[in-house]
Amino acid sequence: MNATKRIRTKLGLTIVELAEVVGVSQGTVSRWENHQTYGHYPDVRHIGLLRSYALARGIPWDDSILFQDSDHSSSAPAAGGSA
């Protein structure tokens, strides 16, 4: 799940509602979520609006939501790996 969808899900918003909060079209949010944006992702202004939206509603905000779910341990070399 990408950051846009994680944020939208955490805030309990539909694609239409998230689009209204950040001032973009429903199609733009859908493209963000489906990686069809060719470099046009939510910018700092959009993230700030979502953060403000969450905090105004008492929803805890942690910037780690912007990053992939932690599964970095799978990329670490296994103990006792080959030399």
Side-chain angles (χ1 to χ4, degrees):
M1 182 182 310
N2 70 22
T4 305
K5 190 165 188 173
R6 269 196 312 279
I7 292 168
R8 181 174 65 78
T9 302
K10 178 177 176 110
L11 298 178
L13 298 172
T14 66
I15 289 175
V16 172
E17 292 167 334
L18 182 109
E20 289 173 1
V21 168
V22 298
V24 298
S25 72
Q26 172 184 345
T28 296
V29 173
S30 181
R31 286 187 293 279
W32 288 342
E33 289 190 2
N34 292 300
H35 303 287
Q36 298 173 346
T37 56
Y38 306 105
H40 300 281
Y41 296 99
D43 63 22
V44 172
R45 181 180 61 87
H46 296 132
I47 300 301
L49 289 169
L50 291 170
R51 182 180 182 277
S52 295
Y53 178 91
L55 295 176
R57 284 153 184 80
I59 301 168
W61 181 274
D62 180 344
D63 287 339
S64 67
I65 194 170
L66 302 172
F67 306 101
Q68 291 294 331
D69 291 16
S70 270
D71 191 39
H72 301 291
S73 59
S74 63
S75 63
S82 59

